Each structure stands twice: as C-alpha cells, then as structure tokens.
Amino acid sequence: MSVKALVFGIAGATFERLLQWKYGAAGILWLVLLVIGIKARNHTCSSIGAVALALMVSRPAL
C-alpha cells in the first residue's frame, strides 16, 4: 500500500467522522450520495450530494 493511499484513507475517515459528529445521519447520506456519484460518473447524483452538503455546511448556527 502506498503512503499516498494511506494518507487519503485516513483523511477520508476523519472527514466522515467529523461530518457525522456535526451533521448527523443526513450529512453521511449526502456524503455517500456524492461519493457514489463521483465513482459512478453520474453527474446528477454527485451534484445533488455536493449541493446538499454545501447547504448543510453553510447554514447559520442556531
């Protein structure tokens, strides 16, 4: 296993944990939709996931 793959794997897992901690199950759902869309090269699926994540992150804190 290359060092680059290991670093990206750790960064991805850390980002996923942070997203789940802060935004809950909906955040993970949108992240999964984004990743599936990118891997399947489906622009609609990845766009929906990216827009939903962006809206979740940019909303004001209550």
Side-chain angles (χ1 to χ4, degrees):
M1 178 181 282
S2 69
V3 174
K4 185 178 179 182
L6 184 63
V7 169
F8 281 126
I10 291 171
T14 304
F15 180 71
E16 181 181 346
R17 282 291 197 185
L18 178 65
L19 190 68
Q20 185 176 10
W21 169 71
K22 189 160 182 163
Y23 299 108
I28 294 299
L29 173 73
W30 299 126
L31 179 66
V32 167
L33 191 64
L34 174 65
V35 170
I36 288 172
I38 290 171
K39 288 190 184 243
R41 295 187 182 189
N42 184 339
H43 298 294
T44 305
C45 189
S46 59
S47 296
I48 291 171
V51 168
L53 273 176
L55 287 174
M56 265 185 129
V57 171
S58 67
R59 72 176 180 197
L62 297 174

